[in-house]
Amino acid sequence: MLGARYSKNMFTGLIEATGNILSVEERAGAWRIAVSAPTLAGRLKTGDSIAVSGVCLTALDIGPEIFHADLAAETVARTSLSRLRAGAVVNLELPTAAGTPLGGHIVQGHVDSTGTLAALNPVDPSAAADKTDWWLEVRVPEETRRYVVEKGSIAIEGISLTIARREAETIAVAVIPHTYAVTNLHTLRVGDPVNLEADVLMKLALQQKTESPFELTMEYLIANGY
């Protein structure tokens, strides 16, 4: 799944563009999607990795403005890509090249679970959509909650966001007008599934505390492409 230009699949959660699903073809044991991505397709080579709404996929059959990707049955079952239909909007991000400054947080493209969109409301209901912040609330499955902390990072649909509030079963994040406008968030509706990836550093910290004497060091992060 690695393209030759990248040392490791690592994303930052800073969405580069959105794409539109052109078709979803169901095959034996897998789906194939065609994605319109005029601003990114020309930068892809066959076999390159690309995050589609937070899911790391392999680009195939690339044209000047489109690419295809295969979704394994496991991917369909465990991510929000199961809701994809022609016309759906997806968030797109290419892997971060080694040595590039980290703008968001470390995102692997490995979805932990799907949450459920509980609310997406403007902070100022009287303002235009591009002039107000938004409150996004997501219901988080139990298996992912252990990695969720207030002021911590989380990727929602591949977008690097900061948790502003944590309740028993939900989290809330503040979304600025730019993020609302240039990602697929403005196309989602209450009840839609959303991909969640917890902060990998939180996972490593908990592993160190509860399972092994593993020590998270700068040397480990550098050696593993972080």
Side-chain angles (χ1 to χ4, degrees):
M1 288 185 58
L2 285 175
R5 293 170 292 161
Y6 305 102
S7 61
K8 184 176 179 66
N9 287 341
M10 187 187 80
F11 306 94
T12 64
L14 300 181
I15 304 304
E16 295 183 60
T18 55
N20 290 90
I21 299 298
L22 297 177
S23 65
V24 179
E25 178 187 353
E26 296 191 32
R27 300 181 172 187
W31 289 7
R32 172 161 287 205
I33 59 173
V35 184
S36 173
T39 62
L40 292 185
R43 296 163 58 188
L44 291 169
K45 295 180 181 178
T46 298
D48 276 353
S49 295
I50 185 168
V52 178
S53 289
V55 183
C56 182
L57 299 177
T58 300
L60 304 168
D61 294 341
I62 301 164
E65 296 189 349
I66 70 170
F67 70 91
H68 297 75
D70 290 338
L71 310 182
E74 179 75 359
T75 302
V76 175
R78 296 177 64 92
T79 73
S80 73
L81 300 188
S82 61
R83 66 176 173 81
L84 290 184
R85 300 294 182 269
V89 179
V90 290
N91 299 322
L92 303 175
E93 183 189 355
L94 297 177
T96 299
T100 301
L102 190 65
H105 74 283
I106 296 170
V107 178
Q108 296 179 294
H110 302 161
V111 172
D112 291 304
S113 62
T114 53
T116 304
L117 182 62
L120 182 56
N121 298 316
V123 172
D124 182 359
S126 65
D130 62 346
K131 301 297 183 183
T132 180
D133 290 347
W134 295 75
W135 274 111
L136 170 64
E137 296 183 22
V138 175
R139 188 167 292 105
V140 180
E142 182 177 359
E143 65 267 25
T144 305
R145 288 180 211 149
R146 63 184 300 218
Y147 305 120
V148 173
V149 295
E150 191 169 307
K151 306 305 179 186
S153 296
I154 190 168
I156 300 178
E157 287 290 289
I159 309 164
S160 175
L161 295 167
T162 301
I163 299 164
R165 187 174 67 244
R166 184 188 190 280
E167 305 292 348
E169 297 184 357
T170 63
I171 60 171
V173 301
V175 176
I176 64 174
H178 174 77
T179 301
Y180 179 81
V182 303
T183 69
N184 72 343
L185 291 182
H186 65 274
T187 72
L188 302 180
R189 299 293 179 265
V190 171
D192 281 348
V194 291
N195 290 323
L196 302 177
E197 183 186 330
D199 188 350
V200 66
L201 297 183
M202 175 63 74
K203 297 177 193 176
L204 290 171
L206 286 176
Q207 180 185 21
Q208 179 183 13
K209 180 178 179 180
T210 62
E211 297 179 8
S212 73
F214 169 80
E215 182 179 0
L216 179 62
T217 65
M218 184 62 70
E219 289 75 16
Y220 172 89
L221 293 175
I222 293 173
N224 285 272
Y226 300 121

